[in-house]
Amino acid sequence: MPVVQPRVELLAHTPEPLSLIYAAFRQCYHDGQVADMWPRLLAGDISKEKQAAFVAAILESGHASPVEHVSFTFALSGVSRALTHQLVRHRIASYSQQSQRYVDGSDFDYVIPPEIKKHPEALARFEGVMAEIGSAYRELKAILEVAGRTGSKANEDARFVLPQATASNIVVTMNCRSLLNFFEHRCCRRAQWEIRHVADAMLALCRDVLPEVFMVAGAKCERLRYCPEGEKFCCGRFPVRKEGGA
């Protein structure tokens, strides 16, 4: 039962993302059809610098819906089921996750929290529990198979003993607006360590492809320049907003 680390890879994104967002924004303010403009955009008749400046100015005004036309697809592997339970709460997205019904969990991979790794006594106890669960899974599966529940039918019942530490693989697709919201919540220092690590890696990949949208993305405080979490939860990176203003 190997210990694994999260891995984030960008599988695909909408082609010509900046030009598509520019065209969508322009359609809102243009009396013609942007389909006539599209060949010029692809040919480079309208410079990327001009497109970027226009997109930045409109985004600054608060008009953000046209960025929804561009999406990114990521493969996340070696992440815990605890992380994927948090991830799927971001509802404007598409997910395809490794099934515990069809994938045998007899030798499941798992993720160890860093704070547990720091303490030898806690680590030994954690790893002992993982070994116990693996043994219980295999025993339950064998009992069920003898009773006639073979293949995925045995897996689907035995999986009920698997822990949240169990590693999983998942494909996720989000549009840019959903990603901006995701980064605001999950790049925050208050987010759990694992999903924050994954969100930071996803953000870095998005910035490489579309810096015009994602260069200023991240935790909500980075955009607001103050902490919206209040005194109780503020990490101290930015001041807390006071009553009546920032």
Side-chain angles (χ1 to χ4, degrees), residues 7 34 39 64 74 82 95 113 122 133 184 187 189-190 202 221:
R7 178 179 168 188
V34 295
F74 301 89
Y95 302 102
I133 291 173
E184 283 195 343
C187 292
R189 291 181 182 177
R190 290 195 61 232
M202 290 169 63
C221 61

Side-chain angles (χ1 to χ4, degrees), residues 25 106 145 149 178 207 224:
F25 271 129
S106 296
E145 288 174 340
R149 286 185 69 80
S178 293
R207 282 176 174 164
L224 298 175

Side-chain angles (χ1 to χ4, degrees), residues 60-79:
E60 184 69 22
S61 75
H63 183 189
S65 60
V67 303
E68 295 173 10
H69 295 291
V70 169
S71 64
F72 289 73
T73 299
F74 301 89
L76 312 183
S77 58
V79 296

Side-chain angles (χ1 to χ4, degrees), residues 11-51:
L11 297 184
H13 60 79
T14 304
E16 300 294 341
L18 176 61
S19 294
L20 183 56
I21 291 172
Y22 175 83
F25 271 129
R26 282 294 304 271
Q27 186 63 88
C28 296
Y29 307 102
H30 182 51
D31 60 3
Q33 295 190 17
V34 295
D36 299 330
M37 181 191 303
W38 188 244
R40 294 174 52 216
L41 287 171
L42 296 182
D45 293 347
I46 302 173
S47 71
K48 294 293 186 183
E49 291 75 17
K50 182 176 180 179
Q51 294 178 45

Side-chain angles (χ1 to χ4, degrees), residues 107-122:
D107 192 35
F108 67 92
D109 297 342
Y110 59 88
V111 176
I112 304 178
E115 289 300 317
I116 289 179
K117 283 184 180 179
K118 289 180 181 179
H119 304 282
E121 183 179 0

